[in-house]
Amino acid sequence: MPASDRRSRNRLASVRGMHDLLPGPIALWQHFEAAARDVLDSYGFEEIRTPLLERTELFVRSIGGATDIVEKEMYTFADRDGDSLTLRPEQTASCVRAGIENGFIHLGVHRLWYMGPMFRHERPQRGRFRQFHQLGGEIFGPAGPEADAEIILLTARLWRRLGLFDLRLELNSLGTPDSRRAYRSRLMEYLLDRRADLDEDGRRRVETNPLRVLDSKNPEMRAVIEAAPRLIDSLDSESRDHFDALRAMLDEAGEPWTLNPRLVRGLDYYTKTVFEWTTERLGAQNAVCGGGRYDGLVAEIGGTPTPGVGFSAGIERLVALLVESGTDAAREPPAAWVAAVGTDAVRPAPAVAEALRDLGVSAVLDAGEGGFRAKLRRADRSGAEFAVIVGDAEAAAGEVSIKPLRSDGPQSTVARARLREALTGWLPQAAPGEDSPQADETCSMPPDHA
RNA sequence: GUGGGCGUAGCUCAGUCGGUAGAGCACCGGAUUGUGGCUCCGGAGGUCGCGGGUUCAAUCCCCGUCGCUCACCCCA
């Protein structure tokens, strides 16, 4: 795009809070994604992909009509048929819907994972975007705390795998919906008695979301908050046993955690276990992963009652931590750089590049302007191991010149038919045979000759 | 959604107490009629985020707006 166009007044920019992921930074994402797939695979999870758009009703019923997400953050609009659709703000609800719709959710145990963009209309900030990406996993079927433990230990393993060692696991239990409702009214009563001690924000939220009052960061509220009844102390016995068993499992597995009695989370579907992984390194957006149990969700959406537990992790935030940690995920440079200059030399150049790829050698054909000087400079900067040079002289003789770029070895000129011999030492170990030149087009690994 | 800070070349930034701008890196070319890395020389690239106001004159001051950012809020 010419500079004059990019400068022009009516040029288009991306939507606020929605960003392009460019080739450089994307290397770290791919690093993250590969680690995630690997870990999820080792826990027997299978991938699921669901549409970005769902009927609005799905999220209202699952996340809860009184939550911030549903009340003020969803991208909701009427499509041409008049149906109310919403860009998904999270994916658990979609997974449940898909499980019910395809008739598998209540049959046995299912372990699913997903990864993709989510949408919430919040004010953008560091670590908070309107289109952001989550990695998530769900276990449908088991009601016991082993499944909760599996989810938590899986995420812990992923952090270790990524080299993130300073994340903190916070745990709480919300109990069953009944015990939670009972607690809520007890808490509201307590807070109303002390209305005078609350700050403005607190007074506003007593009625709307009393559990949130406990989460206030205002130091003047500390005394009121600490004296408040705790949800964890008013659990029903079933939830209490579940929570105790989970704690014992995490201890047995050697996974450290801390109790956060004020952890409530912003989605209404959680029951019993809730957890969050937090970091000190990202400022206000400190939650990097969250999740919990949602035993009532499947029934709420109209399926056969089926328990479930899950997690979801914010990829932007985790990648930001990787950047901070100095994680190196630079893309592998190509092995060969094909530099052809001259009208007769350009004609065979694509065929020469193909011959290299047939041998399993990754190759970039320099299709840019300029002479040998320019093309070799690009070859050097690309990081390629060697340049394959085709000039008019080589083209006329059916030859190519091979010039090492990372050593002081001499340049050699060989017949195109003898490329394989000339490249001994640069070929990948499992090079495809001559009789199956296009053995594996999906294999883009550069030759390993470190 | 609320409040504060900041928007100068592709990137990181300097600068103009109001007189229309510079550096480093990156890019392109030359020194080397077909050979990179080091060095030297040169070039291209900015309506100083956008719109309005004040002024003889605004990139600079004022207002608005958009974007980023920090905190609140919320959460991944």
Side-chain angles (χ1 to χ4, degrees):
Chain A
M1 184 193 301
S4 58
D5 286 350
R6 307 185 55 233
R7 243 187 280 128
S8 77
R9 243 161 235 136
N10 58 6
R11 81 193 232 198
L12 295 172
S14 71
V15 172
R16 167 130 115 132
M18 306 197 181
H19 301 297
D20 302 309
L21 233 189
L22 302 174
I26 215 166
L28 218 42
W29 282 64
Q30 291 171 341
H31 172 71
F32 170 85
E33 289 165 11
R37 279 169 208 273
D38 215 48
V39 169
L40 286 155
D41 201 51
S42 73
Y43 282 74
F45 280 63
E46 296 176 291
E47 185 179 5
I48 183 170
R49 302 188 190 186
T50 65
L52 266 58
L53 275 175
E54 297 276 2
R55 293 180 172 279
T56 303
E57 181 66 13
L58 174 66
F59 300 118
V60 175
R61 258 158 71 183
S62 59
I63 298 170
T67 58
D68 279 8
I69 294 178
V70 170
E71 273 186 340
K72 44 196 190 197
E73 294 174 4
M74 295 205 304
Y75 281 90
T76 296
F77 58 93
D79 80 354
R80 288 166 187 275
D81 303 324
D83 296 326
S84 180
L85 303 182
T86 293
L87 240 23
R88 66 183 186 203
E90 60 109 40
Q91 207 171 335
T92 298
S94 300
C95 289
V96 171
R97 195 225 78 236
I100 296 169
E101 192 167 339
N102 294 286
F104 67 73
I105 201 163
H106 59 287
L107 303 173
V109 173
H110 295 280
R111 299 170 170 233
L112 303 175
W113 69 267
Y114 59 81
M115 184 153 51
M118 310 294 160
F119 304 84
R120 294 184 199 173
H121 191 102
E122 296 185 89
R123 179 139 163 188
Q125 209 176 304
R126 179 174 158 83
R128 186 166 82 183
F129 310 99
R130 290 185 172 179
Q131 175 177 324
F132 63 103
H133 297 76
Q134 286 187 332
L135 167 75
E138 319 284 353
I139 302 180
F140 295 118
E146 314 90 282
D148 309 37
E150 280 275 271
I151 287 282
I152 290 171
L153 292 171
L154 182 160
T155 53
R157 184 175 296 275
L158 178 56
W159 315 147
R160 263 181 271 131
R161 174 65 183 275
L162 291 167
L164 300 174
F165 297 109
D166 57 354
L167 296 180
R168 193 177 136 104
L169 174 60
E170 298 185 0
L171 214 56
N172 194 22
S173 176
L174 300 179
T176 60
D178 279 347
S179 65
R180 190 155 139 209
R181 224 168 290 130
Y183 169 74
R184 193 187 139 109
S185 47
R186 249 183 4 117
L187 176 64
M188 199 184 292
E189 206 175 306
Y190 166 86
L191 291 172
L192 285 173
D193 278 354
R194 266 153 260 246
R195 208 186 181 99
D197 299 331
L198 301 181
D199 60 11
E200 190 187 333
D201 222 37
R203 280 196 290 275
R204 180 174 56 78
R205 282 190 291 193
V206 174
E207 313 273 358
T208 58
N209 200 345
L211 273 65
R212 279 274 165 222
V213 178
L214 300 183
D215 221 6
S216 171
K217 288 169 189 165
N218 187 345
E220 289 171 24
M221 301 253 299
R222 171 164 288 177
V224 196
I225 290 171
E226 279 176 4
R230 303 199 309 171
L231 173 54
I232 195 81
D233 297 327
S234 34
L235 290 181
D236 54 289
S237 63
E238 180 195 332
S239 301
R240 165 109 259 151
D241 291 348
H242 187 98
F243 193 53
D244 289 344
L246 172 60
R247 293 153 71 146
M249 286 169 188
L250 293 176
D251 291 343
E252 175 90 21
E255 189 59 47
W257 53 275
T258 56
L259 176 69
N260 178 355
R262 295 188 295 278
L263 179 62
V264 292
R265 304 196 47 75
L267 299 89
D268 281 354
Y269 55 61
Y270 286 115
T271 55
K272 296 182 180 167
T273 311
V274 290
F275 66 90
E276 242 174 48
W277 286 96
T278 61
T279 173
E280 310 273 280
R281 291 193 279 156
L282 292 181
Q285 313 308 319
N286 65 342
V288 121
C289 175
R293 177 163 279 282
Y294 43 83
D295 290 341
L297 181 57
V298 177
E300 182 62 42
I301 297 179
T304 310
T306 308
V309 223
F311 75 93
S312 71
I315 302 181
E316 280 84 355
R317 293 180 186 179
L318 286 164
V319 168
L321 288 180
L322 292 179
V323 170
E324 256 209 9
S325 312
T327 305
D328 182 33
R331 187 183 144 67
E332 284 288 335
W337 190 270
V338 180
V341 177
T343 43
D344 290 336
V346 163
R347 197 182 332 109
V352 169
E354 283 301 292
L356 289 163
R357 296 168 191 139
D358 287 346
L359 292 169
V361 173
S362 59
V364 172
L365 169 59
D366 189 331
E369 301 293 310
F372 283 103
R373 183 185 158 74
K375 295 202 173 190
L376 280 172
R377 188 177 339 141
R378 276 179 226 131
D380 181 56
R381 293 188 184 172
S382 77
E385 287 297 326
F386 57 92
V388 174
I389 297 169
V390 191
D392 286 338
E394 284 92 345
E399 295 173 333
V400 298
S401 294
I402 297 167
K403 180 187 178 71
L405 295 171
R406 307 298 148 202
S407 70
D408 290 327
Q411 175 172 328
S412 58
T413 299
V414 297
R416 278 171 59 186
R418 314 276 298 173
L419 250 186
R420 169 192 288 278
E421 290 85 333
L423 293 177
T424 306
W426 268 315
L427 294 179
Q429 305 236 316
E434 269 168 301
D435 44 1
S436 59
Q438 287 156 33
D440 185 5
E441 289 186 44
T442 64
C443 174
S444 60
M445 291 296 291
D448 179 22
H449 47 270

